[in-house]
Amino acid sequence: MIDTQGNGLIFLLCIPRSGSSLSTVMLQNHSRIFATQEMWFLMNLVDLSKADSRAYGGSSIIRQFYQAMVSEDVFEKACRGFALEIYNGFLEGSGADFIVDKSPRYYYMLEWLDRLFPQSRRIHLQRNPLSVAASFKKVNRHTGESFDLIQSLNHSKLNMKAIDLTLGLTRLNEYFAEPHPLAYELKYEQLVMKPQEELEKLCAFLGITYEQGMERYGQFVHGSKADMFYSMGVGDPFLSSHQEAHQDSVNNWKEILNPQEVELYCRVLGANLFHRMGYSEQLQAAEQWTGVRFQAEPDQEVLERLGQQLVVATECRWQPNYRMKALMDSTENGSPFQIDSQGHELAKIDPALAAMATIRQLQAALRAADQRLERGYTERERLKKQLDAVQSKLQRIKSWIPFGHQISAWASQRKIVRGGKS
């Protein structure tokens, strides 16, 4: 179980479209790991005191309550307790003793994560920024949503995708700038090219033994954990069309982005970020393609404008150049697990609790599926009404056709009478 320091808790930290769905679907195949789709609820907790407008009113009262009556320590303790109930509720009876919280945009609150669960393990998932931008464009085109990279970077109003691609990316790289015993860097490109090798190294970091075949996620789609994973809707809409990792999207950014988009995005990020992330070759390819040599430093004017937009919209203020906190020795609660002969932690599994956990997972999967079906039904009804309207209009147009034939015949006769002149 997860303790108050965060032992047993794993945060998969990245920006959206970095391959977190692929990483998670592989990790959740391990018998000792519980991982589901994006949770995001910690972001809701950190902003709990920023009371939004509600129909019942009281926003100003709620804000005053948190500011005047609830200390920061009490607030964090309450949020930690809530989070532990959620996490351990998932783990109870499941046989797993690790839980992965994979929620892109947790870069929003890195300072808070360090305070809330200082002993949690953190995986830094990296991907070529150009491929991330291309994935945004590809997925939004697939779902019918609009995404214009140039417009989003230049817009005067907040666009969270622009924040992801710039401030979120740079903030995570600053956070993980120095080696840390609780941090691990995972590169998307290496994961899809050598999944077993990368998972073996990742499992070693987590202190567990790699389980054969966990990277072939198509073999696990009928388990109760997989049911919950897929019922919530996969972040990557193309994930379920494959049985295991493929390399089709590793270097396809040239096929999706145009040179103008690449030039602007690389200029905003600056060359140094690509070098620090290990994507110097990709930057060189971008320079050759666009014919532009990019400056080392980022475009501070753009980054400052985006940062101000985020502050105005969310009241969020980050510590500049924030780094992952140094590891503190904490033996407050001891180890929450038993240790086997090989030094691995073992969870206590009660058959009744395991059965109840499976039932809860299946119930959650059914609720999520029902909600998605309800949304699908609403969308079908909307499309049906739209189709009926089109068909009605078509029928009206068809009803004009006989009269149209009469006009055509009358025009032809008039042309003959006038000797063929129009």
Side-chain angles (χ1 to χ4, degrees):
M1 307 301 278
I2 313 302
D3 66 16
T4 56
Q5 294 297 305
N7 289 293
L9 176 60
I10 305 163
F11 289 113
L12 181 59
L13 301 176
C14 61
I15 63 172
R17 316 300 338 144
S18 296
S20 58
S21 291
L22 176 66
S23 307
T24 308
V25 77
M26 292 181 179
L27 285 171
Q28 63 105 22
N29 292 331
H30 197 288
S31 62
R32 298 183 62 200
I33 295 177
F34 182 95
T36 186
Q37 272 299 320
E38 301 165 8
M39 299 186 191
W40 289 65
F41 76 97
L42 288 183
M43 295 181 70
N44 183 258
L45 285 181
V46 75
D47 281 341
L48 189 63
S49 60
K50 303 171 186 176
D52 296 327
S53 177
R54 294 288 189 270
Y56 48 76
S59 297
S60 60
I61 298 174
I62 294 173
R63 282 177 175 262
Q64 180 66 14
F65 169 76
Y66 282 114
Q67 292 172 3
M69 301 183 65
V70 181
S71 69
E72 185 174 337
D73 290 342
V74 170
F75 180 73
E76 287 183 7
K77 184 177 180 181
C79 290
R80 183 182 298 111
F82 180 88
L84 287 173
E85 288 294 325
I86 297 293
Y87 290 138
N88 288 324
F90 283 131
L91 286 180
E92 186 178 3
S94 67
D97 42 33
F98 290 92
I99 190 165
V100 175
D101 187 341
K102 170 275 247 212
S103 297
R105 292 185 179 153
Y106 270 8
Y107 64 77
Y108 179 76
M109 51 176 199
L110 295 174
E111 296 90 342
W112 205 60
L113 287 184
D114 281 350
R115 295 198 301 270
L116 214 60
F117 295 113
Q119 298 288 334
S120 62
R121 295 177 187 265
R122 275 145 277 188
I123 302 171
H124 183 201
L125 178 59
Q126 294 267 49
R127 187 180 184 183
N128 173 17
L130 293 170
S131 295
V132 174
S135 182
F136 266 115
K137 188 173 181 179
K138 178 182 177 182
V139 169
N140 280 262
R141 187 168 56 198
H142 173 77
T143 58
E145 301 176 45
S146 61
F147 175 70
D148 186 307
L149 179 58
I150 295 176
Q151 183 181 10
S152 67
L153 292 175
N154 290 324
H155 207 283
S156 60
K157 294 183 179 179
L158 177 69
N159 184 313
M160 279 306 300
K161 292 170 186 174
I163 302 296
D164 296 333
L165 290 167
T166 55
L167 301 181
L169 184 67
T170 56
R171 187 162 202 252
L172 284 171
N173 278 275
E174 290 171 350
Y175 181 69
F176 288 105
E178 298 174 359
H180 194 287
L182 294 177
Y184 182 87
E185 182 179 280
L186 175 65
K187 273 196 162 49
Y188 169 83
E189 293 82 3
Q190 295 297 318
L191 180 63
V192 300
M193 288 190 289
K194 299 179 291 184
Q196 179 175 336
E197 180 180 331
E198 292 302 312
L199 286 175
E200 287 175 351
K201 291 189 290 186
L202 181 54
C203 287
F205 163 72
L206 297 175
I208 58 179
T209 303
Y210 163 81
E211 292 182 349
Q212 192 66 38
M214 58 185 291
E215 70 277 4
R216 294 191 288 275
Y217 52 86
Q219 298 180 0
F220 296 82
V221 295
H222 300 298
S224 58
K225 287 196 297 183
D227 286 337
M228 177 175 285
F229 181 90
Y230 287 105
S231 68
M232 292 183 67
V234 182
D236 181 357
F238 306 107
L239 181 67
S240 57
S241 61
H242 301 93
Q243 300 296 305
E244 55 187 313
H246 62 90
Q247 303 177 27
D248 297 349
S249 59
V250 171
N251 287 309
N252 67 344
W253 52 271
K254 282 187 182 181
E255 303 169 10
I256 300 172
L257 302 176
N258 61 52
Q260 292 74 29
E261 291 172 322
V262 172
E263 179 181 346
L264 174 61
Y265 187 40
C266 290
R267 178 173 60 80
V268 170
L269 292 182
N272 282 345
L273 181 61
F274 283 86
H275 297 319
R276 288 202 306 270
M277 294 177 67
Y279 293 108
S280 298
E281 291 184 9
Q282 290 77 2
L283 177 67
Q284 184 179 9
E287 290 179 334
Q288 292 174 349
W289 193 41
T290 61
V292 177
R293 182 61 179 258
F294 299 110
Q295 297 294 321
E297 298 302 320
D299 189 326
Q300 289 296 339
E301 182 179 347
V302 173
L303 296 184
E304 288 173 6
R305 171 171 50 80
L306 293 173
Q308 184 60 30
Q309 290 172 358
L310 183 67
V311 170
V312 171
T314 67
E315 303 176 26
C316 173
R317 295 186 183 276
W318 299 334
Q319 295 182 26
N321 304 313
Y322 183 72
R323 304 286 178 87
M324 188 173 174
K325 291 297 185 185
L327 183 63
M328 302 295 291
D329 181 27
S330 175
T331 56
E332 176 184 346
N333 299 302
S335 173
F337 309 119
Q338 292 182 321
I339 307 297
D340 68 10
S341 59
Q342 295 180 325
H344 295 149
E345 296 166 344
L346 295 176
K348 297 179 180 180
I349 305 175
D350 183 297
L353 287 176
M356 289 299 297
T358 300
I359 291 172
R360 284 196 300 271
Q361 291 171 13
L362 292 175
Q363 288 174 335
L366 284 174
R367 287 196 300 270
D370 283 342
Q371 290 174 358
R372 295 181 70 199
L373 285 172
E374 178 62 28
R375 290 196 298 270
Y377 173 79
T378 302
E379 179 65 12
R380 284 197 302 272
E381 288 299 300
R382 185 186 68 80
L383 291 174
K384 184 175 180 298
K385 290 179 180 179
Q386 184 177 353
L387 181 60
D388 289 342
V390 171
Q391 288 176 337
S392 177
K393 185 175 181 180
L394 182 60
Q395 291 298 326
R396 290 198 304 272
I397 294 174
K398 285 182 177 180
S399 68
W400 300 340
I401 290 177
F403 179 65
H405 286 163
Q406 293 175 13
I407 294 175
S408 178
W410 175 78
S412 298
Q413 292 173 1
R414 181 174 175 82
K415 188 175 182 180
I416 292 173
V417 170
R418 297 183 59 188
K421 297 180 180 180
S422 302

